[in-house]
Amino acid sequence: MSQPLAEAYRGRANSFGALRLAFALAVVLSHAAALGFGRPLFRQVDLGDVAVAGFFTISGFLIVRSARRSSVPRFLWHRALRIWPGLWICLLVTGLVVAPLLHLDRHGTLDGLWRSPGGVLEYLRQNWWGGLRQFGIADLLQGDTPYWRWQGGNTINGSLWTLGYEIVCYLLVAMLAALTFLRRQLRWLVLLAAFAVYGVICWNYVLHGTNGQGLSDGQGIWATGTIGPLPLLGALQKTDLLWFGFMFLLGGVAELYSDRLPINDLLGVLALVVFGCSAVSGHFFGPGLVAYAYAILWLAVRLPKALHRVGNRNDYSYGVYIYSFVVQQVMATLGVQAIGLTGFFLVSAMVTLGIALLSWHLVEEPALRLKNWTPAMLREPEDQPTPRDDGSPTGDGPPGSIIAPVDRFRSPGTGRESAVAPTAG
């Protein structure tokens, strides 16, 4: 049985929240092997990359949907509220709580931690707006963790690297919305862009080969090098922007063409098979990306209804994503990995979920309550009703009523928009 995605997807009756949480925990599992034991979880495919690609697909669908239902300023305001408050508190906790404790344990003093090159203040300044431009703090974690011995990096929160790519995607969507390319009459331009990017990915794959992490000969289109450094975000890897940007674009095209995109169970199962084969064979970043995106959208509307509740009101996936790396690095310095990979994953996941719960209820959700706020200068002045002879006001409403001010920050004709969580990757 087939039905258009627009009919299958109805409001909150979907499993996007469950999928986001599953992807966040998949990142935790992938990092458990890397941070706790200094090795990849799987040889053929990086589970973390698969999860991040899933995040970007969901994000593309929901973010384009959000942009089509609100004005550009309101859209950007919602994105800022969803990304930055949680990120800022995470950075402050890392720099003002975790780093001092690690520094005291390593040196017995806090001297040289704050203002020195690569110190806490520089870490906060470099990473404040979402671009991961400084990976470590001072000499913390150097030589102390399995990850250092494997990769030689003292990264304290490597998960944050994807936020810069996410923000770039938001800005591109805002630009498309401002140019009216998201309207029904011009949506074919976005579809054309998706075909063009897919052509580049197929070109790189067929002519130059791939090992799942990058082109083997470095001769493909956007196969090597960086873009930038961009203001506030730093330099972005071309390959990552190509792959994850394409997944975001696929999600956006699915939303734009949701009235025509069929949701078919046979196609869904086939997409899962293609995705599984491409992942197991080490060719995930190739033509099979389209199948993976379709499988995610199919699962979102076909998974059991019991999963619709996950993330419906309380979305912990972002908190899990941005805090798990820090938690696992600290646990690795304490030697918790001695309990084995499964135990290390479970303990770190439970601790991270607890922190994510606090992040949502104390930071993220309160911030999202401001999504309908409008600057005073952009509000229409309240109508001043002409008094009747008896002194009561006139107007369309009942006596004594006040006509609500018009919100210039919102697109005309749009209803109340629910906040959409970003991809955490």
Side-chain angles (χ1 to χ4, degrees):
M1 176 181 177
S2 296
Q3 64 180 145
L5 178 59
E7 295 181 9
Y9 175 80
R10 295 189 181 93
R12 295 181 180 271
N14 60 78
S15 298
F16 278 131
L19 289 171
R20 281 197 299 260
L21 184 59
F23 289 146
L25 291 174
V27 170
V28 178
L29 177 58
S30 177
H31 287 168
L35 303 180
F37 299 88
R39 61 175 177 83
L41 183 65
F42 302 116
R43 295 293 179 184
Q44 296 297 328
V45 64
D46 187 328
L47 180 63
D49 283 345
V50 173
V52 170
F55 272 127
F56 273 85
T57 304
I58 295 175
S59 184
F61 181 85
L62 297 177
I63 297 307
V64 169
R65 185 178 181 86
S66 172
R68 299 181 76 190
R69 299 170 62 185
S70 58
S71 67
V72 173
R74 179 66 64 186
F75 166 76
L76 292 174
W77 174 243
H78 286 181
R79 297 302 93 226
L81 288 177
R82 193 62 186 97
I83 284 282
W84 282 333
L87 170 64
W88 290 339
I89 297 302
C90 178
L91 290 173
L92 290 173
V93 169
T94 302
L96 303 182
V97 179
V98 176
L101 291 176
L102 291 176
H103 203 270
L104 282 172
D105 179 67
R106 186 181 183 93
H107 299 287
T109 178
L110 296 180
D111 293 343
L113 175 63
W114 308 108
R115 297 181 178 274
S116 61
V120 167
L121 296 183
E122 186 69 10
Y123 177 82
L124 296 177
R125 186 184 71 82
Q126 292 281 6
N127 302 331
W128 193 250
W129 298 108
L132 187 57
R133 295 184 289 176
Q134 180 177 322
F135 287 80
I137 298 179
D139 63 346
L140 302 181
L141 305 177
Q142 290 185 6
D144 294 342
T145 65
Y147 186 73
W148 168 268
R149 291 187 286 272
W150 177 38
Q151 296 287 353
N154 68 327
T155 304
I156 197 166
N157 195 347
S159 294
L160 302 183
W161 74 269
T162 63
L163 297 185
Y165 298 83
E166 185 84 10
I167 292 172
V168 167
C169 290
Y170 294 167
L171 295 176
L172 290 175
V173 169
M175 181 183 70
L176 292 176
L179 295 174
T180 71
F181 287 177
L182 300 184
R183 292 183 179 181
R184 186 183 185 91
Q185 298 86 342
L186 296 177
R187 61 182 180 177
W188 63 271
L189 292 171
V190 183
L191 178 62
L192 185 63
F195 273 112
V197 177
Y198 188 58
V200 171
I201 290 176
C202 291
W203 172 273
N204 291 343
Y205 178 83
V206 173
L207 296 185
H208 301 283
T210 180
N211 59 9
Q213 297 298 322
L215 296 179
S216 57
D217 59 8
Q219 299 301 311
I221 301 174
W222 268 36
T224 58
T226 62
I227 295 177
L230 302 177
L232 305 179
L233 298 179
L236 303 180
Q237 294 291 329
K238 289 181 179 179
T239 51
D240 292 329
L241 188 58
L242 180 67
W243 290 331
F244 299 124
F246 177 64
M247 299 306 291
F248 188 97
L249 188 57
L250 285 179
V253 168
E255 205 290 322
L256 292 174
Y257 283 88
S258 59
D259 59 324
R260 296 188 179 184
L261 180 64
I263 294 299
N264 180 279
D265 292 342
L266 180 59
L267 288 178
V269 173
L270 180 61
L272 284 175
V273 171
V274 173
F275 155 65
C277 291
S278 63
V280 170
S281 64
H283 298 282
F284 173 69
F285 286 109
L289 287 175
V290 176
Y292 182 50
Y294 184 87
I296 291 171
L297 296 172
W298 176 73
L299 289 172
V301 297
R302 286 292 191 259
L303 286 174
K305 293 183 178 180
L307 294 177
H308 293 178
R309 299 180 180 180
V310 179
N312 195 326
R313 294 185 179 276
N314 302 311
D315 185 5
Y316 303 135
S317 60
Y318 184 49
V320 170
Y321 184 79
I322 62 176
Y323 280 99
S324 61
F325 201 101
V326 181
V327 169
Q328 290 178 317
Q329 282 286 55
V330 172
M331 290 176 57
T333 64
L334 299 175
V336 179
Q337 63 271 26
I339 62 178
L341 176 60
T342 301
F344 185 76
F345 163 67
L346 291 176
V347 173
S348 62
M350 288 188 292
V351 173
T352 303
L353 278 169
I355 298 174
L357 186 147
L358 294 176
S359 176
W360 170 257
H361 290 289
L362 299 181
V363 181
E364 300 165 52
E365 186 182 33
L368 290 175
R369 294 173 190 161
L370 299 173
K371 62 189 177 67
N372 292 323
W373 173 81
T374 302
M377 66 180 66
L378 297 179
R379 298 174 189 164
E380 291 283 1
E382 295 180 1
D383 290 347
Q384 298 296 326
T386 303
R388 294 175 177 172
D389 292 339
D390 60 0
S392 62
T394 60
D396 296 331
S401 67
I402 298 177
I403 300 175
V406 177
D407 182 0
R408 293 182 185 175
F409 213 39
R410 184 186 302 278
S411 292
T414 58
R416 183 172 181 266
E417 180 198 357
S418 61
V420 180
T423 64

